[in-house]
Amino acid sequence: MYSLGMDIGGTNSVFGIVSEDGRIVKSGSVKTKAYNDFLDYVEAVCDGIRPLVEEVGGFANIGSFGIGAPNGNFYNGTIELAPNLPWKGILPLAQAFRERLGVPVAVTNDANAAAVGEMTYGAARGMRHFIEITLGTGVGSGIIIDGKLVYGHDGFAGELGHVVVERGGRSCGCGNKGCLETYCSATGVARTAKERLETSKEDSLLRAITDRPIESRDVYDAAVKGDRIALEIFEYTGRILGEALANFVAFSAPEAIVLFGGLTKAGDYIMNPVRRAMEDNINVLWRGKVKLLISQLKEADAAVLGAAAVGQSTCRS
């Protein structure tokens, strides 16, 4: 028996058929932003999934469909007020796919799905207490306590990217100011670069980028070449993230914090200041005890595998 898993991102939605031993045997994708109408998007995804399912013997061989989505509500099977998706309001995600595909559907937050993928197949295998932090366009998180995801009473527990780290700071898509994701996401790094260049007259390779907005990858490329401003940007970003992680440890005393997503590709430029700030600010009870790890899963695979695992455990129980 196979499972379907899908990761809905702000740019792309990636889906796959997952075998019982955790292999993605078939996969496909659609452009999320290409569909302004939610039901048109659902139809496009179904059109992509159906031929893949036929290649593994049809829907009789599909036991469940798990979906990781921004602001995905596990309890209601809905996407609710997601700021980075083209559709607004409360969307009946599970119902829409269940009606069209005829399989049981479970929905969770995309970062929660990545956490389950990590626990099942990645760096957190065998762990029952850890926090997954996703560092992409935004900052997401999945909190695992006693081997189970924390959902809270309304399905939205674990929005650590929207913990305020700077009172009255940068505006966030959630409507608040100073959220962690406005500083420590790929978007946040780009915002820091823009601010630093505007407030400093110091030479930088980043000043040569004038035909488009600066991206976090540009900051990495400049840091590799020893650019002082780029190195300072990673130090600043890493300090904020490390301080936040020290606070998160106090909440659940995890065995590890696993960092996942594009920003981790900056390697030691980001990880060294994160480690320093976390250890400098962590309570003495946990100093030196909490591992800081980088995900072992491919970005495209983690959330798909995790979503499929959520679907399996929810729909087959």
Side-chain angles (χ1 to χ4, degrees), residues 79-102:
I79 292 176
E80 302 187 15
L81 310 175
N84 297 322
L85 294 179
W87 327 293
K88 305 308 174 188
I90 298 176
L91 306 168
L93 188 68
Q95 177 186 339
F97 281 106
R98 187 167 55 244
E99 289 175 349
R100 287 161 178 79
L101 298 178

Side-chain angles (χ1 to χ4, degrees), residues 56-68:
V56 297
F59 281 98
N61 290 328
I62 302 296
S64 60
F65 186 11
I67 305 174

Side-chain angles (χ1 to χ4, degrees), residues 137-153:
T137 305
V139 173
S141 59
I143 301 170
I144 302 287
I145 295 178
D146 199 24
K148 298 177 182 178
L149 275 168
V150 175
Y151 284 111
H153 85 281

Side-chain angles (χ1 to χ4, degrees), residues 65-303:
F65 186 11
I67 305 174
N71 287 28
N73 190 314
F74 175 76
Y75 296 141
N76 300 331
T78 51
I79 292 176
E80 302 187 15
L81 310 175
N84 297 322
L85 294 179
W87 327 293
K88 305 308 174 188
I90 298 176
L91 306 168
L93 188 68
Q95 177 186 339
F97 281 106
R98 187 167 55 244
E99 289 175 349
R100 287 161 178 79
L101 298 178
V103 295
V105 181
V107 174
T108 191
N109 180 281
D110 49 348
N112 286 341
V116 174
E118 205 72 59
M119 180 170 60
T120 309
Y121 308 110
R125 277 175 294 184
M127 293 186 191
R128 297 179 59 80
H129 302 270
F130 73 95
I131 299 172
E132 181 102 348
I133 302 290
T134 60
L135 303 170
T137 305
V139 173
S141 59
I143 301 170
I144 302 287
I145 295 178
D146 199 24
K148 298 177 182 178
L149 275 168
V150 175
Y151 284 111
H153 85 281
D154 63 352
F156 289 116
E159 286 290 343
L160 298 180
H162 296 288
V163 169
V164 174
V165 295
E166 184 68 38
R167 296 293 171 188
R170 296 173 179 173
S171 296
C172 182
C174 74
N176 214 332
K177 290 186 176 182
C179 292
L180 179 66
E181 79 168 36
T182 67
Y183 295 91
C184 297
S185 61
T187 308
V189 169
R191 289 175 76 169
T192 301
K194 184 174 183 292
E195 290 177 3
R196 288 295 173 94
L197 293 176
E198 289 175 348
T199 58
S200 169
K201 295 182 179 180
E202 187 174 351
D203 288 339
S204 172
L205 296 170
L206 298 172
R207 295 192 188 279
I209 302 171
T210 58
D211 58 334
R212 59 175 175 79
I214 291 172
E215 300 176 352
S216 60
R217 173 72 195 195
D218 300 318
V219 180
Y220 171 74
D221 289 341
V224 169
K225 296 175 182 176
D227 186 272
R228 183 178 175 83
I229 285 184
L231 294 169
E232 289 177 351
I233 290 168
F234 280 125
E235 284 288 331
Y236 175 75
T237 305
R239 176 181 61 77
I240 293 174
L241 180 56
E243 290 172 354
L245 297 183
N247 289 333
F248 299 162
V249 167
F251 164 73
S252 63
E255 178 180 346
I257 294 176
V258 183
L259 302 185
F260 169 83
L263 201 55
T264 63
K265 293 188 176 83
D268 287 345
Y269 294 110
I270 186 72
M271 293 302 294
N272 285 343
V274 170
R275 286 192 182 94
R276 284 196 301 270
M278 179 174 147
E279 286 301 320
D280 286 349
N281 290 277
I282 204 167
N283 186 285
V284 67
L285 289 171
W286 299 288
R287 191 165 295 154
K289 290 168 59 177
V290 181
K291 303 178 189 119
L292 185 61
L293 306 174
I294 294 178
S295 172
Q296 293 178 355
L297 299 176
K298 295 180 182 178
E299 280 190 62
D301 289 355

